[in-house]
Amino acid sequence: MNKVFAFSILFLFLLPVLVSSECTCDEDSEDRNKIEALKYKLVAVASILIAGGIGVSIPFLGKIIPAFHPENNVFFLIKAFAAGVILATGFVHILPDAFESLSSPCLPENPWGDFPFAGLIAMISAIGTMMVDLLATSFYRKANLTKQKPVNSDEEKEGGHVHVHTHSTHGHAHGSVILSSEGSDELDLSRRRVISQVLELGILVHSVIIGVSLGASESPKTIKPLVAALTFHQLFEGMGLGGCITEARFNVKKTAAMAIFFSLTTPIGIAIGFAISTVYSESSPTALIVEGVFNSAAAGILIYMALVDLLAADFMSSKMQDSPKLLMGANVFLLFGAACMSLLAKWA
């Protein structure tokens, strides 16, 4: 899983090479000013970097502030807010952009105008994410089961598991506990680690694309509203990702690496976009196809992760179900998070 994740990240930063092609569709007229645009880009790099670092770090405050501890109700509310943000990111920000790219008049009518490829790719991506989730969970479950082999009829104890032997009805019952409490905790932890890595991959795909697009733009009017919008965007997404990383309980080195990489991705994307601004064209067929396909895939990943691994997992938990007050608060925070991120779509 780690090798696949690393390869995917490496491929993302090679994307600008693929999209640097000539424009075959007339671009919209813009008020270009390279010097002023550069100032806004530098501001964007600094503000997005800081916001991303703060957002992804907030969930880690549980080690210092008890209110932010994963078992505390406040942490559940923060996760609900962050899940709403990630869900709105997929539905309101990324998926519409994907449809816009893959249905652009700059692309040939056949096949791009004859079929909703963005929706298809998002669906395949969501299904693929589910399969990865399922396979990873199955793998870890089997790994735990091999440590707890069932006992035979002539064995009283094997591999640390107690043999069950009854005579109440002159019969015999043999077996072992399928998963001990320790094994169940290990399985849950392994799954949370898969969730955090897949979620970060989906977020990074989108972050690279919007970073490159902003960095390649030379219009201050286009960049100016994006600075504030993307700053809040990065802050909220960081909170969601930070919550998942916290629950995954990685070692300090890997936790720091994931947090730093998230914080740096969009600023690095902006730097790459600035470097290739002379050859990059957002309306070129190659750029539109690459951006559309990857945005569709990212949308599918984030929508699945938000609904299944973040919302369903918490809202269906016994802790949430047994506390109407917490459940109501989580719903309010979920809607608030989705509303905040949806509102940002007006500018980003």
Side-chain angles (χ1 to χ4, degrees), residues 234-251:
Q234 199 79 347
L235 174 69
F236 294 152
E237 277 192 339
M239 291 172 62
L241 179 61
C244 288
I245 296 175
T246 300
E247 291 187 319
R249 299 205 297 267
F250 288 111
N251 58 44

Side-chain angles (χ1 to χ4, degrees), residues 41-57 227 230-231 234-235 259-268 270:
K41 290 176 188 178
L42 294 176
V43 172
V45 169
S47 62
I48 291 174
L49 180 62
I50 295 172
I54 293 174
V56 78
S57 299
V227 175
L230 292 180
T231 298
Q234 199 79 347
L235 174 69
I260 292 172
F261 204 80
F262 164 77
S263 303
L264 291 176
T265 302
T266 302
I268 290 175
I270 295 174

Side-chain angles (χ1 to χ4, degrees), residues 64-77:
I64 303 174
I65 305 175
F68 289 97
H69 193 274
E71 298 302 322
N72 196 288
N73 290 347
V74 174
F75 188 79
F76 272 78
L77 298 179

Side-chain angles (χ1 to χ4, degrees), residues 271-289:
I272 293 174
F274 176 75
I276 65 171
S277 59
T278 57
V279 294
Y280 178 86
S281 174
E282 289 185 344
S283 57
S284 70
T286 304
L288 289 169
I289 293 172

